[in-house]
Structures are given as structure tokens and as C-alpha cells.
Amino acid sequence: MKEAFKFAFPHTIPIMAGYIFLGIPFGLLAVSQGFSPLFAILMSVIIYSGAIQYAAIDVFLASFNPINAIILTLMVGARHIFYGIAMLTKFSKLDSKKYYTIFGLTDETFSVLVSIDIPENLSRDWVYFFITLLNQMYWVSGTVIGVLLGSMITINLEGIDFVLTALFITIFFDQWLNSSSKVPALVGILSGLLCLILFGANSFMIPAMVFIVGFFLYRFNEKGVARQ
């Protein structure tokens, strides 16, 4: 177990900086919107999903609409279905620690787990567990720092909720520059604009996500039929 931790920790260092500095504004934003410090921290422990946590702040503050919240969560987190499928064989070979490893599978954790080459003398169960645990600890630590700063320091936090928009813009341009196909990005932009016009600013997200997921499921199925 000790050797597995020593092996796992260096692989999580790049994620540490990103998670801490994304967790801090979440903690600040949650406290500034009236959430209790404990509730904000519990969100990072139980929900543990950056995009959904930021979006959940508006969901909690809006009128009670559980169906809308469930659909939004499923649409935003739909990519994890494909992560789970890709890791199905590896996770099926793990012991009881696989349940936490499955829960803690984020984008960055997935990228590490699929790329590392674990020495045969180390336990894969413990390596996966420590990578997942360390990454969540970084996210929770960032949230705690943000909550403490928001509780102790009186600062003007107006506009800090733009951090989620900035995060998505950064991810979008990174994918645009590194992807050989621009079709996914263009489909996302066009469907978002179309649904914004048709449904308005308060209701366009879910229809846009449904259209995007439906389009790529159709395209995936069409390619499968063509190969057959």
C-alpha cells in the first residue's frame, strides 16, 4: 500500500494545481450566494463534479424543479458513461475499492488511469484508489480554502460566477486547437444558438444538450451501420 501511494502521488501533481485553483472560486461563490460553509464542502465531497457543482448553485437558488435538475445533471455528466465503458474491464478486476474509484472517476482522473503503466509488483487496486482519493482531496481542499476566504474576508465577489463560463471557454478552445475534427465544436455552437433563439436564455440548455447527444448517437450508429 505504501509503495502504491508513492507511485500514485507524482501522477496526480499536475491535477493538484488545477483542482485547488478551481475549487477556491467554487467555495467563494457558494458562500457569496448564501450557502453555509459546511454545505459547500459537502457538495465537493458528495457531488464531486466541478461543472455540475457550479451549475447546482443556480439550481438550488431557482424555484423548485427536481426534474429539470436531474435532466441537467444527466446531460452535463453524460460523458462519464463513455468513461465508465472504457474502464469497465479494468474496474471489474478490482476489489471492493472499485466502488469508490467508480464514484471518483472525473475527466482528469480518467486521463491518468488510462495512461499509467503500473509495475507488476504494485497493487492496481491501491494505485487506482490513491489516484482517485488524492484528486478528490485536492478539489475538496480548494473548496475549503475558498470557503474560509469567503467567510473571513469581506470582498466584492460580483462577477465571480463567470469562472464557470471561463472554464468552459478554456476547455472549448483547448479542444478546438487539439482536435482534428471541428464537427463536435460546431454542432455544440450551432445547437446552442438555435435553442437559445427558440427557447430563450432560461430554458435553452436542456434542449441543446438533448440535440447534441442525439446528433452524435445518430452519427455513431450511422458509422456502425456503414462499417457493417
Side-chain angles (χ1 to χ4, degrees):
M1 185 173 69
K2 183 178 179 181
E3 294 302 318
F5 180 85
K6 289 181 178 179
F7 175 81
F9 175 67
H11 290 84
T12 66
I13 292 177
I15 298 173
M16 175 171 58
Y19 272 17
I20 289 178
F21 286 103
L22 282 173
I24 290 175
F26 169 74
L28 285 169
L29 178 61
V31 172
S32 72
Q33 296 297 316
F35 292 88
S36 71
L38 179 59
F39 186 79
I41 295 171
L42 284 176
M43 287 178 69
S44 289
V45 173
I46 299 173
I47 300 177
Y48 184 39
S49 175
I52 295 176
Q53 283 183 226
Y54 277 101
I57 292 178
D58 290 331
V59 171
F60 284 129
L61 294 175
S63 57
F64 183 69
N65 191 343
I67 302 301
N68 183 69
I70 291 172
I71 294 175
L72 176 62
T73 302
L74 289 174
M75 290 299 172
V76 174
R79 65 192 185 281
H80 289 86
I81 296 174
F82 303 100
Y83 296 165
I85 293 174
M87 296 298 294
L88 189 60
T89 301
K90 293 183 178 181
F91 282 169
S92 64
K93 299 177 181 178
L94 304 182
D95 58 19
S96 59
K97 289 183 281 295
K98 67 184 177 183
Y99 299 109
Y100 172 71
T101 307
I102 292 170
F103 160 77
L105 188 63
T106 62
D107 300 13
E108 292 76 15
T109 300
F110 171 78
S111 66
V112 174
L113 295 184
V114 298
S115 62
I116 58 172
D117 186 15
I118 302 175
E120 294 184 1
N121 63 310
L122 296 181
S123 167
R124 180 176 296 271
D125 302 82
W126 281 114
V127 171
Y128 278 21
F129 176 81
F130 281 130
I131 289 175
T132 307
L133 178 64
L134 286 168
N135 288 341
Q136 185 174 17
M137 287 176 62
Y138 303 146
W139 178 254
V140 174
S141 298
T143 303
V144 171
I145 294 172
V147 165
L148 292 176
L149 290 175
S151 302
M152 296 187 302
I153 303 175
T154 303
I155 55 177
N156 184 8
L157 297 176
E158 184 179 356
I160 194 173
D161 51 341
F162 185 73
V163 68
L164 179 59
T165 305
L167 172 63
F168 283 136
I169 291 174
T170 302
I171 294 174
F172 172 81
F173 278 107
D174 179 69
Q175 292 294 319
W176 179 271
L177 294 174
N178 294 295
S179 177
S180 57
S181 175
K182 310 303 181 186
V183 173
L186 293 174
V187 169
I189 292 173
L190 294 176
S191 60
L193 289 174
L194 178 62
C195 291
L196 179 63
I197 295 171
L198 294 176
F199 300 99
N202 295 324
S203 306
F204 81 97
M205 183 176 294
I206 291 177
M209 294 296 292
V210 169
F211 180 82
I212 293 169
V213 172
F215 174 84
F216 286 108
L217 285 175
Y218 170 78
R219 190 180 181 200
F220 177 79
N221 181 65
E222 190 177 49
K223 286 185 176 181
V225 172
R227 283 196 296 268
Q228 291 177 1

